[in-house]
């Protein structure tokens, strides 16, 4: 089992940057594909980015491509999400997720998720 805790959210002006991090408990972190989802008020949760077990494959939603970078450190059980050139439409609660297969995470199917961290981008 994996427990996930997100951190790094906050308030930032449009055009600014934030770095989120997901810390995972347990010694099986490297066995899971990982990802980030977000949910804005009144909207459904949407895929943001995902990364393979060893970090060699990444996927991004079109809306964040070239602005966000997902990575992972299996030695530290962490998964950062670097967010640059933030826009007001990036405002949402961001969730870290983990699952057995990368393609299933991209499709919105995962086994574990955290409590989320709020990101607010002001215009």
């Amino acid at each position: 089992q994996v427990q996930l805790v997100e951190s790094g959210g906050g308030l930032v002006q449009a055009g600014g940057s934030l770095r989120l991090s997901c810390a995972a408990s347990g010694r099986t972190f490297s066995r899971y594909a990982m990802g980030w989802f977000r949910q804005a008020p009144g909207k459904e949760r949407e895929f943001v980015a995902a990364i393979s077990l060893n970090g060699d494959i990444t996927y991004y939603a079109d809306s964040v491509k070239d602005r966000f970078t997902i990575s992972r450190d299996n030695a530290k059980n962490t998964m950062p999400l670097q967010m640059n050139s933030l826009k007001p439409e990036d405002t949402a609660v961001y969730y870290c997720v983990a699952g057995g297969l990368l393609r299933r995470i991209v499709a919105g199917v995962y086994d574990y998720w955290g409590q989320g961290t709020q990101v607010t981008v002001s215009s």
Side-chain angles (χ1 to χ4, degrees):
Q1 191 160 351
V2 177
Q3 291 184 326
L4 305 172
V5 179
E6 303 91 339
S7 62
L11 173 64
V12 64
Q13 288 188 332
S17 298
L18 278 176
R19 186 176 177 87
L20 305 184
S21 188
C22 174
S25 65
R27 291 179 285 183
T28 59
F29 177 75
S30 61
R31 296 182 184 179
Y32 293 94
M34 304 288 295
W36 289 93
F37 280 72
R38 67 186 182 186
Q39 187 167 18
K43 295 186 177 181
E44 294 186 353
R45 190 174 294 190
E46 65 174 359
F47 169 75
V48 174
I51 189 166
S52 60
L53 274 65
N54 62 4
D56 60 338
I57 301 172
T58 57
Y59 290 102
Y60 295 94
D62 288 342
S63 59
V64 307
K65 202 170 295 183
D66 299 325
R67 298 189 298 122
F68 291 11
T69 302
I70 189 172
S71 59
R72 67 188 295 165
D73 186 333
N74 287 345
K76 296 182 178 179
N77 284 11
T78 59
M79 180 185 63
L81 180 70
Q82 179 66 40
M83 306 187 297
N84 299 328
S85 302
L86 283 161
K87 304 175 181 180
E89 50 264 45
D90 293 319
T91 295
V93 177
Y94 283 71
Y95 297 89
C96 168
V97 305
L101 293 174
L102 180 60
R103 63 176 183 272
R104 286 172 62 85
I105 287 182
V106 175
V109 179
Y110 39 83
D111 301 310
Y112 305 102
W113 58 94
Q115 293 299 310
T117 185
Q118 176 71 48
V119 171
T120 303
V121 184
S122 63
S123 57

